[in-house]
Amino acid sequence: MESLGIDIGGSGIKAALVNTLTGELLSDRLRMATPQPSTPERVAAVVAEAALQLGWHGPAGIGFPAAVTQGIVRTATNIDHKWIGMDAVELFSEALGQPCTVLNDADAAGLAEIAFGEGRDVAGTVIVLTLGTGIGSAVFNNGILQPNTELGHLLFRGDIAEHYASDAARKAAGLSWEKWGKRLDKYLKHVENLFWPQLLILGGGSSRKFEAFAAQLTTRTPVVAARHRNQAGLIGAAMASSRART
Ligand code: BGC
């Protein structure tokens, strides 16, 4: 089964055609800058442009950086506030002229890692954390997703955790991978003490540099980089679209 997968982030929008039975990419991966301001109309226009560039006329799955219930965007931390209350399914389906499925971006990344990546066949609680402009989370128990967890918004050291340990926080503070890794370690310990997972999987932009900070991680829980690294989100978004059609 083939679907268009789109991963909308605070700074970039990624898109590719995906074989949703294997998780393989069937096209090049496009990356376009997230328009600023990232209003619904402007983001929808970039999504439509991505589909055009990939020559795709079919259903699409879209990972969105917010809590999303029944296709409605509920929060907006790293995206324009005009999104709150917006029916994203309707907006994107109209922009593409095709049926769209919309889900939280980290949940999408988690679906890909549980189906085809590091979380495959792992029993118990598996937590996927995406480290990018924000911190996204996907919590699975025996392969079942509990959607819209917002573990990047746990209060940590007097603020929401993503302000301390996201990739954007690393860049803003000009931290080395090593120094940032130490911050991440503190946050991961907080998460493991609250959830007692079997496995922590790191995705998002910083997962591409996993080797540069892995030595700083001292959690009792094993921590691995997402097998699909920063592409997990678009693969999982495409999977969600295929699932919605079966
Ligand atoms: C948002 C989450 C999102 C994460 C990663 C957070 O600020 O609240 O919904 O998954 O950023 O994009």
Side-chain angles (χ1 to χ4, degrees), residues 6 22 33 51 54 98 106 119 129 133 141 151 173 196-197 210 212 229 234 238 244 246:
I6 298 177
T22 63
L54 290 167
Q98 297 289 340
L129 294 168
T133 309
N141 189 36
L151 303 191
W196 290 83
F210 184 72
R229 305 272 167 142
L234 68 86
T246 51

Tab-separated table of all heavy atoms in Angstrom, residues 6 22 33 51 54 98 106 119 129 133 141 151 173 196-197 210 212 229 234 238 244 246:
chain	number	residue	atom	x	y	z
A	6	ILE	N	3.635	13.010	5.476
A	6	ILE	CA	4.110	14.379	5.668
A	6	ILE	C	4.349	14.607	7.155
A	6	ILE	O	3.518	14.225	7.995
A	6	ILE	CB	3.079	15.398	5.128
A	6	ILE	CG1	2.918	15.177	3.625
A	6	ILE	CG2	3.502	16.835	5.431
A	6	ILE	CD1	1.887	16.039	2.965
A	22	THR	N	5.858	-1.906	4.389
A	22	THR	CA	7.255	-2.186	4.736
A	22	THR	C	7.939	-1.004	5.418
A	22	THR	O	9.016	-1.160	5.994
A	22	THR	CB	8.072	-2.491	3.456
A	22	THR	OG1	8.056	-1.306	2.637
A	22	THR	CG2	7.494	-3.656	2.678
A	33	ALA	N	10.995	24.563	4.190
A	33	ALA	CA	10.947	25.308	5.448
A	33	ALA	C	9.496	25.500	5.869
A	33	ALA	O	8.624	25.714	5.020
A	33	ALA	CB	11.637	26.653	5.276
A	51	ALA	N	2.946	17.699	-2.330
A	51	ALA	CA	2.237	16.635	-3.064
A	51	ALA	C	2.428	16.821	-4.566
A	51	ALA	O	2.656	15.858	-5.314
A	51	ALA	CB	0.748	16.642	-2.699
A	54	LEU	N	5.851	15.800	-5.690
A	54	LEU	CA	6.033	14.342	-5.694
A	54	LEU	C	5.103	13.678	-6.715
A	54	LEU	O	5.115	12.455	-6.875
A	54	LEU	CB	5.783	13.773	-4.289
A	54	LEU	CG	6.869	14.136	-3.262
A	54	LEU	CD1	6.408	13.825	-1.848
A	54	LEU	CD2	8.176	13.390	-3.569
A	98	GLN	N	-7.703	15.491	-1.600
A	98	GLN	CA	-7.579	14.056	-1.303
A	98	GLN	C	-7.862	13.836	0.171
A	98	GLN	O	-7.628	14.739	0.983
A	98	GLN	CB	-6.150	13.580	-1.586
A	98	GLN	CG	-5.712	13.693	-3.019
A	98	GLN	CD	-6.388	12.688	-3.925
A	98	GLN	OE1	-6.901	11.663	-3.460
A	98	GLN	NE2	-6.401	12.968	-5.218
A	106	ALA	N	4.735	13.081	16.944
A	106	ALA	CA	5.510	12.068	17.677
A	106	ALA	C	4.761	10.729	17.687
A	106	ALA	O	5.379	9.665	17.606
A	106	ALA	CB	5.770	12.533	19.100
A	119	GLY	N	11.101	-0.527	18.209
A	119	GLY	CA	10.085	-0.940	19.181
A	119	GLY	C	9.346	-2.205	18.780
A	119	GLY	O	8.464	-2.681	19.506
A	129	LEU	N	10.531	9.373	22.037
A	129	LEU	CA	10.619	10.827	22.252
A	129	LEU	C	11.266	11.442	21.024
A	129	LEU	O	12.321	10.975	20.573
A	129	LEU	CB	11.474	11.126	23.485
A	129	LEU	CG	10.881	10.652	24.818
A	129	LEU	CD1	11.926	10.726	25.922
A	129	LEU	CD2	9.649	11.466	25.200
A	133	THR	N	12.346	20.878	17.423
A	133	THR	CA	12.002	22.214	17.913
A	133	THR	C	11.370	22.083	19.300
A	133	THR	O	11.611	22.886	20.188
A	133	THR	CB	11.029	22.905	16.936
A	133	THR	OG1	11.593	22.814	15.635
A	133	THR	CG2	10.800	24.343	17.303
A	141	ASN	N	1.917	0.649	25.011
A	141	ASN	CA	1.949	-0.480	25.924
A	141	ASN	C	1.578	-1.722	25.136
A	141	ASN	O	0.508	-1.773	24.523
A	141	ASN	CB	0.983	-0.276	27.096
A	141	ASN	CG	1.175	-1.349	28.144
A	141	ASN	OD1	2.304	-1.793	28.388
A	141	ASN	ND2	0.101	-1.807	28.732
A	151	LEU	N	4.778	14.508	26.807
A	151	LEU	CA	5.831	14.401	27.827
A	151	LEU	C	6.911	15.472	27.681
A	151	LEU	O	7.693	15.692	28.604
A	151	LEU	CB	6.462	13.007	27.810
A	151	LEU	CG	5.507	11.826	28.007
A	151	LEU	CD1	6.291	10.543	28.227
A	151	LEU	CD2	4.551	12.061	29.160
A	173	ALA	N	21.103	27.627	23.463
A	173	ALA	CA	22.105	27.811	24.513
A	173	ALA	C	23.526	27.585	23.982
A	173	ALA	O	24.499	27.716	24.728
A	173	ALA	CB	21.813	26.858	25.668
A	196	TRP	N	8.448	4.105	33.995
A	196	TRP	CA	9.081	2.781	34.052
A	196	TRP	C	8.977	2.018	32.729
A	196	TRP	O	8.469	0.892	32.674
A	196	TRP	CB	8.497	1.974	35.231
A	196	TRP	CG	8.967	2.571	36.514
A	196	TRP	CD1	8.417	3.639	37.167
A	196	TRP	CD2	10.132	2.209	37.246
A	196	TRP	NE1	9.167	3.964	38.274
A	196	TRP	CE2	10.231	3.098	38.363
A	196	TRP	CE3	11.112	1.238	37.092
A	196	TRP	CZ2	11.252	3.030	39.296
A	196	TRP	CZ3	12.124	1.161	38.037
A	196	TRP	CH2	12.187	2.052	39.118
A	197	PRO	N	9.451	2.633	31.653
A	197	PRO	CA	9.380	1.942	30.356
A	197	PRO	C	10.421	0.824	30.231
A	197	PRO	O	11.408	0.794	30.982
A	197	PRO	CB	9.687	3.059	29.350
A	197	PRO	CG	10.516	4.041	30.116
A	197	PRO	CD	10.061	3.967	31.552
A	210	PHE	N	22.883	10.828	17.317
A	210	PHE	CA	22.806	10.002	18.523
A	210	PHE	C	24.193	9.631	19.063
A	210	PHE	O	24.453	9.702	20.262
A	210	PHE	CB	21.990	8.742	18.228
A	210	PHE	CG	21.762	7.871	19.424
A	210	PHE	CD1	20.881	8.258	20.426
A	210	PHE	CD2	22.428	6.662	19.559
A	210	PHE	CE1	20.673	7.457	21.544
A	210	PHE	CE2	22.231	5.853	20.666
A	210	PHE	CZ	21.349	6.261	21.657
A	212	ALA	N	26.837	11.160	19.016
A	212	ALA	CA	27.584	12.273	19.622
A	212	ALA	C	27.200	12.516	21.081
A	212	ALA	O	27.946	13.156	21.821
A	212	ALA	CB	27.368	13.547	18.808
A	229	ARG	N	15.398	7.159	12.351
A	229	ARG	CA	15.874	8.495	12.744
A	229	ARG	C	14.782	9.531	12.487
A	229	ARG	O	13.642	9.318	12.838
A	229	ARG	CB	17.190	8.843	12.016
A	229	ARG	CG	18.270	7.782	12.246
A	229	ARG	CD	19.095	8.050	13.489
A	229	ARG	NE	19.889	6.883	13.841
A	229	ARG	CZ	21.130	6.923	14.312
A	229	ARG	NH1	21.734	8.065	14.512
A	229	ARG	NH2	21.754	5.814	14.647
A	234	LEU	N	7.399	10.834	9.115
A	234	LEU	CA	6.643	10.802	7.852
A	234	LEU	C	6.227	9.375	7.492
A	234	LEU	O	5.162	9.160	6.894
A	234	LEU	CB	7.389	11.536	6.730
A	234	LEU	CG	8.681	11.004	6.164
A	234	LEU	CD1	8.443	10.007	5.049
A	234	LEU	CD2	9.474	12.184	5.607
A	238	ALA	N	2.248	8.271	7.022
A	238	ALA	CA	1.720	7.532	5.861
A	238	ALA	C	1.010	6.265	6.331
A	238	ALA	O	-0.068	5.899	5.816
A	238	ALA	CB	2.858	7.186	4.905
A	244	ALA	N	-6.321	4.212	8.099
A	244	ALA	CA	-7.646	4.865	8.081
A	244	ALA	C	-8.482	4.366	6.918
A	244	ALA	O	-9.699	4.502	6.907
A	244	ALA	CB	-7.472	6.376	8.007
A	246	THR	N	-8.361	1.124	5.756
A	246	THR	CA	-8.603	-0.323	5.754
A	246	THR	C	-9.579	-0.725	6.864
A	246	THR	O	-9.837	0.017	7.770
A	246	THR	CB	-7.280	-1.113	5.937
A	246	THR	OG1	-6.616	-0.591	7.070
A	246	THR	CG2	-6.410	-1.000	4.718
